[in-house]
Amino acid sequence: MSANEKGKAKVEQATGAAKEAAGRAVGNERLTAEGRGQQAKGDARQAKEKAKDIGKH
């Protein structure tokens, strides 16, 4: 996995987790859902990069 893409995936996951937690803390369902979506996007990016790495070996 390229370091740049791996970093982007981790940042996206962490940002999503923070948004989800903040949304839950204040009772904002939209922010909570946005955080979950961002985490899922980061997970998908990470999975895509792992699949590329497997294909290279």
Side-chain angles (χ1 to χ4, degrees):
M1 179 184 310
S2 80
N4 188 30
E5 289 298 316
K6 182 178 181 181
K8 285 181 185 178
K10 291 293 183 188
V11 167
E12 212 156 31
Q13 290 167 332
T15 303
K19 281 184 180 180
E20 183 178 1
R24 284 186 181 173
V26 298
N28 185 329
E29 283 298 317
R30 185 195 60 79
L31 188 59
T32 303
E34 187 177 317
R36 280 191 207 124
Q38 195 164 11
Q39 284 181 45
K41 190 174 174 186
D43 291 344
R45 182 188 303 254
Q46 188 174 30
K48 181 181 102 179
E49 291 301 314
K50 282 184 180 182
K52 281 184 188 178
D53 285 346
I54 291 170
K56 290 179 184 176
H57 295 289

